[in-house]
Amino acid sequence: MTLGEVVKVLDAKLLVGEDRHLAIEVKTAFSADLMSDVLAFAKSGSLILTGLTTPQVVRTASILDAIALIIVRGKTPPQDTLKLAHELDIPVLSTNYILFETSGRLYANGIVGCVEKIGGINNSKL
Amino acid sequence: MNTTYKKSLAVEGGNFDNAGMASIEIKKILKDLNIHDDILRKTAIAVYESELNIISYARNGRINLIVDDNEISIDVQDEGPGIEDIELAMQPGYSTATEHIRQMGFGAGMGLYNIKSCSDRFEISSTVNVGTHLKIIINRGNNL
């Protein structure tokens, strides 16, 4: 699905981003509030779903070349987070759905996890 | 290409506002050098985790990047408390992070483990009350 369709499915607000971003095709996602886990397991070109709103979330997304950040549980990120997202060209969506519902709604629409499961921590392939 | 690119960036301990800035700068440099996406990502993660370690635990530090035809070398040196038990610190999930670090989504005890996972060669040495030194080598995997 496209990022525009993601916005509709999640009844989300596009806090940072432009029309050109909405056409981007999305296939995978990763949900976590631990940025270290996002760094360890998320793949480039994915959505990152999180309840954290600090600027570090945006930097983590940028390091990973994430397609967009989806802030769950109706949180509004502080201005410095949004400003950084704008500077680094990372679209930011905000949805009132909880993380479980957000993930479930995307999965029901064909988005899958970056990795299905971790095959024992020492076997995890980055 | 037959050149060697070098860059050295200072990182200030405790300055969480700027956490990730050095990594994003290094990532831009590597992108401009046309480093392959997978290699770029591994390098960016290793540098980012290293930068966060300096900010979280040390007084100050420096990230030295050297890129040649064959490999990317990242040398991370900090002045700080050092690591008493390196073996323990390398274990996934082991952490001495403060509440402040955890509130930002870090300090999950995955940092050094992530760095090692991203590296083709990884060396760590540390002296308590002096500092920690990481040597990270990532193969470019081609001769472009």
Side-chain angles (χ1 to χ4, degrees):
Chain A
M1 62 198 302
T2 64
L3 192 59
E5 287 166 334
V6 170
V7 172
K8 275 187 206 147
V9 164
L10 299 178
D11 195 13
K13 278 180 283 200
L14 186 68
L15 301 178
V16 176
E18 297 161 22
D19 285 350
R20 67 185 161 90
H21 292 122
L22 298 177
I24 299 172
E25 195 69 29
V26 185
K27 293 192 173 72
T28 55
F30 190 85
S31 307
D33 284 352
L34 278 176
M35 289 304 108
S36 299
D37 280 356
V38 175
L39 285 168
F41 305 121
K43 293 207 167 71
S44 314
S46 298
L47 296 172
I48 294 176
L49 282 55
T50 184
L52 271 188
T53 60
T54 61
Q56 277 70 35
V57 179
V58 177
R59 294 208 179 96
T60 302
S62 174
I63 290 289
L64 284 169
D65 287 326
I67 285 180
L69 265 177
I70 300 181
I71 309 291
V72 300
R73 304 193 278 273
K75 293 186 182 180
T76 304
Q79 271 311 311
D80 53 348
T81 298
L82 297 176
K83 189 168 166 274
L84 187 67
H86 187 73
E87 281 167 19
L88 296 174
D89 199 31
I90 305 282
V92 180
L93 281 60
S94 171
T95 178
N96 287 339
Y97 288 115
I98 60 171
L99 184 57
F100 182 85
E101 280 291 331
T102 307
S103 306
R105 277 160 201 269
L106 293 180
Y107 195 87
N109 279 277
I111 306 276
V112 295
C114 292
V115 285
E116 199 172 323
K117 61 178 180 181
I118 307 305
I121 198 93
N122 291 320
N123 298 325
S124 64
K125 283 280 170 258
L126 288 161
Chain B
M1 191 174 91
N2 213 354
T3 50
T4 301
Y5 183 92
K6 287 184 187 180
K7 179 86 185 179
S8 178
L9 290 169
V11 179
E12 187 190 343
N15 189 349
F16 286 98
D17 288 346
N18 286 338
M21 300 270 272
S23 310
I24 288 172
E25 190 175 339
I26 286 177
K27 194 177 166 216
K28 270 187 201 148
I29 291 167
L30 296 174
K31 216 163 204 168
D32 289 343
L33 291 171
N34 287 321
I35 302 290
H36 188 278
D37 278 356
D38 288 349
I39 309 291
L40 181 71
R41 190 171 147 276
K42 284 207 288 186
T43 311
I45 292 172
V47 173
Y48 189 37
E49 292 280 14
S50 303
E51 184 185 0
L52 280 162
N53 278 348
I54 297 173
I55 291 165
S56 302
Y57 304 108
R59 285 190 301 280
N60 59 69
R62 190 161 274 284
I63 300 173
N64 294 304
L65 171 80
I66 302 174
V67 183
D68 68 21
D69 289 354
N70 300 315
E71 60 185 31
I72 299 166
S73 154
I74 306 138
D75 203 273
V76 185
Q77 244 170 328
D78 73 44
E79 290 172 20
I83 301 168
E84 218 166 287
D85 186 337
I86 289 176
E87 206 179 318
L88 190 59
M90 289 301 301
Q91 278 178 19
Y94 178 81
S95 175
T96 58
T98 61
E99 190 54 35
H100 183 55
I101 297 166
R102 290 177 199 268
Q103 274 169 6
M104 287 187 302
F106 297 101
M110 294 298 287
L112 287 173
Y113 176 79
N114 271 355
I115 295 170
K116 195 182 175 192
S117 303
C118 288
S119 309
D120 288 303
R121 267 183 289 151
F122 175 78
E123 284 170 33
I124 176 169
S125 57
S126 189
T127 309
V128 172
N129 292 327
V130 177
T132 300
H133 183 194
L134 308 182
K135 272 180 87 77
I136 301 159
I137 307 283
I138 296 167
N139 297 332
R140 293 188 58 179
N142 57 43
N143 290 316
L144 286 175

